[in-house]
Amino acid sequence: MTVSRVMNQTGYVHPATREKVLRVANEFNYRRNGLARGLKMQCTETIGLVIGDVANPFAAEVIRGVREVLTARGYTLFVCVCEQSIKEEVAAFESLADHRVDGIIVATRASQSGNAHLKKLIESGVPVVALGRDFAHRHTDFVSADHLKGGYDATAHLIQLGHKHIGFIGTKQTYGAGLKRFQGYLEALRAHRITPQEQLIVGGQNDADQTPGYSTEEIGYAGMNRLLDLRKPPTAIFARNDFTALGAISAIKQRGLCIPQDVAVVGFDDVPLASHTSPPLTTVFQPTHEQGKIAAEFMLRRIEALEPMPRAERVLPCRLVIRESTVAGGIGAN
Amino acid sequence: MTVSRVMNQTGYVHPATREKVLRVANEFNYRRNGLARGLKMQCTETIGLVIGDVANPFAAEVIRGVREVLTARGYTLFVCVCEQSIKEEVAAFESLADHRVDGIIVATRASQSGNAHLKKLIESGVPVVALGRDFAHRHTDFVSADHLKGGYDATAHLIQLGHKHIGFIGTKQTYGAGLKRFQGYLEALRAHRITPQEQLIVGGQNDADQTPGYSTEEIGYAGMNRLLDLRKPPTAIFARNDFTALGAISAIKQRGLCIPQDVAVVGFDDVPLASHTSPPLTTVFQPTHEQGKIAAEFMLRRIEALEPMPRAERVLPCRLVIRESTVAGGIGAN
DNA sequence: GTCTTTTCTGGTAACGTTAACAGATGCTTA
DNA sequence: TAAGCATCTGTTAACGTTACCAGAAAAGAC
């Protein structure tokens, strides 16, 4: 008991006793057992973050944001990576719940069975915050960027440059943000009285229950080639994310075409790489770091509230970053 | 007790009883308490991975490799990110040790106080594997790539192309792999009877006890500019990593110089980005995914051994990837 | 029918911590 | 001197699980 008081710096302990305890603890390499503590205290001061793909720069920024807030408040962050596999995602939920983290921030892609498991978790009392993924639940907070508006702005930008024949490349998963970006594309076209054309939309749909929608450089490359093979290829491309855009750029260059003169390209996410491509990529910036911070704040608020909290939502604006893949000229054109 | 038997599928339980337990468990959303289990069992089937910087593609690959092996064996991986801060690194060690993970894989940069804490941890009985960082301890396994040879090969490649005036850009931390790469550079020069020149080596040294050596694009950019301001600038550059190389490339291009005709550039790591720069970057590939897998295997072997294991070491070969930043021509030259 | 074995279920104690309480000591105040 | 208070330390019980043991019930052997 006295040891406990020394370790937690609570209650009265005689300075001499404190010294002695610390000395002996040091001598025997004593560490307080967090399992026993968590068991007794019913809290571990630990938050789990489930993320699909760490290779994605999005992940790094989210982690940074979440961590920033959590460490400042004395919480530890454990990150679980599930490599875009729903089976692994569910396993991560179970693991985190088993180890009694105080809350789980979920930043994976939405999926049917993932959502079902999540719902069970929430009903068993684990606080959950959804980040950048659709998830509706009475007791779950939600943070995201405005992908719909982002997609709209990207497409409107191309339209304002005079493009009328605008392609979309990327997997259009049935769940989640990817769909929103695509809807933004459609809405922008319609708002400017351009009829969306089926053959200009490539990348396919995913079976949302097997692999969550994820769009890669390969998809961008293959998709762009399909578009360039059309009798009347598009003069501009809105890619679902920067990696897809990058693949598209490779395909365009390989045919000896010029960007943006022959084909203009807009991506999404503004990954660090985007400003280093040639030409530098016009893209939509989403405040990822900010999303992480807000998710963490929502989580702490929820944990520290004594009674069940109502759902909090926050949708952050995106910002179009215009570079030379849509507007010619500038120093970096190389 | 019977519930425990049902949950763990051990011992004798009457089928009817099992059904009943499962039904009630489901009804009340019962989850076995991993804390209590860990407390009793003295193991949590959980491994901690401490990593400095998730934004680095190196991290993603390491995580993937480690995870692959661990999940196959029923272990859960918790990743702790410490943003290149030694204070945070130590906090991560404490957290993981507190929560009684079964072992810790350390993939941060080495540092004096980090190493000291690590040593204490090991002495208190936590199995530790060091990945890609120098750490000598009788009971700690070690996995790394052969940075020395990698640095040697990169430099030798430039020498074979006829370069005699070869610069080095990058922080040369007193601890760890960065130093090895630099030593490889020096050894290659000496082996070809070229005297290393102080003024061709830029990027500075870090105070290994404050921030672990980490070399960025900014350092590459600034360093390259310093080199280009010399009366006799180098005709080739070996950069400590690809990001640094990228910064150097920006600086070279900005002065209107050509790569590789005016200045050849070699990086290190072969990040995905390296093949997309213009020109594509010659660099040294290190088998990161493999390192992760081996680290995890070492860890499991150590955990499952009943008695203390002697140190295991494994140094994997790197491979020079020649692209157009050293050898002109090719399709992708743009 | 009796004995042995297998199958099944529950009691007890322990893992290491902390909240709550109880008791001891010394110091201050009336 | 006695009461009141602050300071300090130890005891007990509980968190939820599992190893170990005990015993009951069922099944099989003779």
Side-chain angles (χ1 to χ4, degrees), chain B residues 72-103:
Chain B
R73 298 274 285 276
Y75 280 77
T76 303
L77 176 67
F78 288 146
V79 180
C80 279
V81 180
C82 56
E83 312 285 0
Q84 304 290 357
S85 140
I86 290 169
K87 200 169 128 262
E88 299 283 352
E89 182 190 0
V90 171
F93 292 158
E94 308 259 301
S95 265
L96 290 169
D98 267 5
H99 291 279
R100 290 295 191 271
V101 294
D102 292 339

Coordinates of all heavy atoms in Angstrom, one line a residue, chain B residues 72-103:
Chain B
A72 N 0.1 -14.5 -37.6 CA 0.1 -15.9 -38.0 C 0.3 -16.8 -36.8 O -0.2 -18.0 -36.7 CB 1.2 -16.3 -39.0
R73 N 0.9 -16.3 -35.7 CA 1.1 -17.1 -34.5 C 0.2 -16.7 -33.4 O 0.4 -17.0 -32.2 CB 2.6 -16.9 -34.1 CG 3.6 -17.4 -35.1 CD 3.8 -18.9 -35.0 NE 4.7 -19.1 -33.8 CZ 6.0 -19.1 -33.8 NH1 6.6 -18.8 -34.9 NH2 6.7 -19.3 -32.7
G74 N -0.8 -15.9 -33.7 CA -1.8 -15.6 -32.7 C -1.5 -14.4 -31.8 O -2.1 -14.2 -30.8
Y75 N -0.4 -13.7 -32.1 CA 0.0 -12.5 -31.3 C -0.6 -11.3 -31.9 O -0.9 -11.2 -33.1 CB 1.5 -12.4 -31.2 CG 2.1 -13.3 -30.2 CD1 2.3 -14.7 -30.5 CD2 2.5 -12.9 -29.0 CE1 2.9 -15.5 -29.6 CE2 3.1 -13.7 -28.1 CZ 3.3 -15.0 -28.4 OH 3.9 -15.9 -27.5
T76 N -0.9 -10.3 -31.0 CA -1.3 -9.0 -31.4 C -0.2 -8.0 -31.4 O 0.7 -8.1 -30.5 CB -2.4 -8.5 -30.5 OG1 -3.5 -9.5 -30.4 CG2 -3.0 -7.2 -31.0
L77 N -0.2 -7.1 -32.4 CA 0.9 -6.1 -32.4 C 0.3 -4.8 -32.0 O -0.7 -4.3 -32.6 CB 1.5 -6.0 -33.8 CG 2.5 -4.9 -34.0 CD1 3.8 -5.2 -33.2 CD2 2.9 -4.8 -35.5
F78 N 0.9 -4.1 -31.1 CA 0.6 -2.7 -30.8 C 1.8 -1.9 -31.2 O 2.9 -2.1 -30.7 CB 0.3 -2.6 -29.3 CG -1.0 -3.2 -28.8 CD1 -1.1 -3.7 -27.6 CD2 -2.1 -3.2 -29.7 CE1 -2.3 -4.3 -27.2 CE2 -3.3 -3.7 -29.3 CZ -3.4 -4.3 -28.0
V79 N 1.5 -0.9 -32.0 CA 2.6 0.0 -32.5 C 2.6 1.3 -31.6 O 1.5 1.9 -31.4 CB 2.4 0.3 -34.0 CG1 3.5 1.2 -34.4 CG2 2.3 -1.0 -34.8
C80 N 3.7 1.7 -31.2 CA 3.9 3.0 -30.5 C 4.7 3.9 -31.4 O 5.8 3.5 -31.8 CB 4.5 2.8 -29.1 SG 3.4 2.3 -27.9
V81 N 4.3 5.0 -31.6 CA 5.0 6.0 -32.5 C 5.6 7.0 -31.6 O 4.9 7.5 -30.7 CB 4.1 6.6 -33.5 CG1 4.8 7.6 -34.4 CG2 3.4 5.5 -34.3
C82 N 6.8 7.4 -31.8 CA 7.4 8.4 -30.9 C 8.0 9.6 -31.6 O 8.7 10.4 -31.0 CB 8.4 7.8 -29.9 SG 9.7 6.9 -30.7
E83 N 7.6 9.8 -32.8 CA 7.9 11.0 -33.5 C 9.3 11.5 -33.4 O 9.6 12.7 -33.2 CB 6.9 12.1 -33.1 CG 5.5 11.8 -33.0 CD 4.9 11.7 -34.4 OE1 5.6 12.0 -35.4 OE2 3.7 11.4 -34.5
Q84 N 10.3 10.6 -33.4 CA 11.7 10.9 -33.4 C 12.1 11.7 -32.1 O 13.1 12.4 -32.1 CB 12.1 11.8 -34.6 CG 11.8 11.2 -35.9 CD 12.7 10.0 -36.2 OE1 13.5 9.7 -35.4 NE2 12.5 9.3 -37.3
S85 N 11.3 11.6 -31.1 CA 11.6 12.2 -29.8 C 12.0 11.2 -28.8 O 11.3 10.2 -28.6 CB 10.4 13.0 -29.3 OG 10.3 12.9 -27.9
I86 N 13.2 11.4 -28.2 CA 13.7 10.4 -27.2 C 12.8 10.4 -26.0 O 12.6 9.3 -25.4 CB 15.2 10.7 -26.9 CG1 16.0 10.4 -28.2 CG2 15.7 9.9 -25.8 CD1 17.4 10.9 -28.1
K87 N 12.3 11.5 -25.6 CA 11.4 11.5 -24.4 C 10.2 10.6 -24.7 O 9.8 9.8 -23.9 CB 11.0 13.0 -24.2 CG 10.5 13.3 -22.8 CD 10.3 14.8 -22.6 CE 8.9 15.1 -22.0 NZ 8.0 15.5 -23.0
E88 N 9.6 10.8 -25.9 CA 8.5 10.0 -26.3 C 8.8 8.5 -26.4 O 8.0 7.6 -26.1 CB 7.9 10.5 -27.6 CG 7.4 11.9 -27.6 CD 6.1 12.0 -26.9 OE1 5.5 11.0 -26.5 OE2 5.7 13.2 -26.7
E89 N 10.1 8.3 -26.8 CA 10.5 6.9 -27.0 C 10.5 6.2 -25.6 O 10.0 5.1 -25.5 CB 11.9 6.8 -27.6 CG 12.4 5.4 -27.9 CD 13.9 5.4 -28.3 OE1 14.5 6.5 -28.3 OE2 14.4 4.3 -28.5
V90 N 11.1 6.9 -24.7 CA 11.2 6.3 -23.3 C 9.8 6.1 -22.8 O 9.5 5.1 -22.2 CB 12.0 7.2 -22.4 CG1 11.9 6.8 -21.0 CG2 13.5 7.3 -22.9
A91 N 8.9 7.1 -23.0 CA 7.5 7.0 -22.6 C 6.9 5.7 -23.2 O 6.1 5.0 -22.5 CB 6.7 8.2 -22.9
A92 N 7.2 5.5 -24.5 CA 6.6 4.3 -25.1 C 7.1 3.0 -24.5 O 6.3 2.1 -24.2 CB 7.0 4.3 -26.6
F93 N 8.4 3.0 -24.2 CA 9.0 1.8 -23.5 C 8.2 1.6 -22.2 O 7.8 0.5 -21.8 CB 10.4 2.0 -23.1 CG 11.3 2.0 -24.3 CD1 12.6 2.6 -24.2 CD2 11.0 1.4 -25.5 CE1 13.4 2.6 -25.3 CE2 11.8 1.5 -26.6 CZ 13.0 2.1 -26.5
E94 N 8.1 2.6 -21.4 CA 7.4 2.5 -20.1 C 6.0 2.0 -20.3 O 5.5 1.1 -19.5 CB 7.4 3.9 -19.4 CG 8.7 4.6 -19.3 CD 9.3 4.5 -17.9 OE1 8.7 4.9 -17.0 OE2 10.4 3.9 -17.9
S95 N 5.3 2.6 -21.2 CA 3.9 2.2 -21.4 C 3.8 0.8 -21.8 O 3.0 0.0 -21.2 CB 3.3 3.0 -22.6 OG 2.6 4.1 -22.1
L96 N 4.6 0.3 -22.7 CA 4.5 -1.0 -23.1 C 4.9 -2.0 -22.0 O 4.3 -3.0 -21.8 CB 5.4 -1.3 -24.3 CG 5.0 -0.6 -25.6 CD1 6.0 -0.6 -26.7 CD2 3.7 -1.3 -26.2
A97 N 5.9 -1.6 -21.3 CA 6.3 -2.4 -20.1 C 5.2 -2.5 -19.1 O 4.9 -3.5 -18.5 CB 7.6 -1.9 -19.6
D98 N 4.7 -1.3 -18.8 CA 3.6 -1.2 -17.8 C 2.4 -2.2 -18.2 O 1.9 -2.9 -17.4 CB 3.0 0.2 -17.8 CG 3.7 1.0 -16.7 OD1 4.6 0.5 -16.1 OD2 3.3 2.2 -16.5
H99 N 2.1 -2.1 -19.5 CA 1.0 -2.9 -19.9 C 1.4 -4.4 -20.2 O 0.6 -5.2 -20.7 CB 0.3 -2.3 -21.1 CG -0.4 -1.0 -20.8 ND1 -1.6 -1.0 -20.2 CD2 0.0 0.3 -20.9 CE1 -2.0 0.2 -20.0 NE2 -1.0 1.0 -20.4
R100 N 2.6 -4.7 -19.8 CA 3.0 -6.1 -19.8 C 2.9 -6.8 -21.2 O 2.4 -7.9 -21.2 CB 2.3 -6.9 -18.7 CG 2.6 -6.5 -17.3 CD 4.1 -6.8 -17.0 NE 4.4 -6.8 -15.6 CZ 4.8 -5.7 -14.9 NH1 4.9 -4.5 -15.6 NH2 5.2 -5.7 -13.7
V101 N 3.4 -6.1 -22.2 CA 3.5 -6.8 -23.5 C 4.5 -7.9 -23.3 O 5.4 -7.8 -22.4 CB 3.9 -5.8 -24.6 CG1 2.8 -4.8 -24.9 CG2 5.2 -5.2 -24.3
D102 N 4.4 -8.9 -24.1 CA 5.4 -10.0 -24.0 C 6.8 -9.7 -24.5 O 7.7 -10.5 -24.2 CB 4.8 -11.3 -24.7 CG 3.5 -11.8 -24.0 OD1 3.3 -11.4 -22.8 OD2 2.7 -12.5 -24.6
G103 N 6.9 -8.7 -25.3 CA 8.2 -8.3 -25.8 C 8.1 -7.0 -26.6 O 7.0 -6.6 -27.0

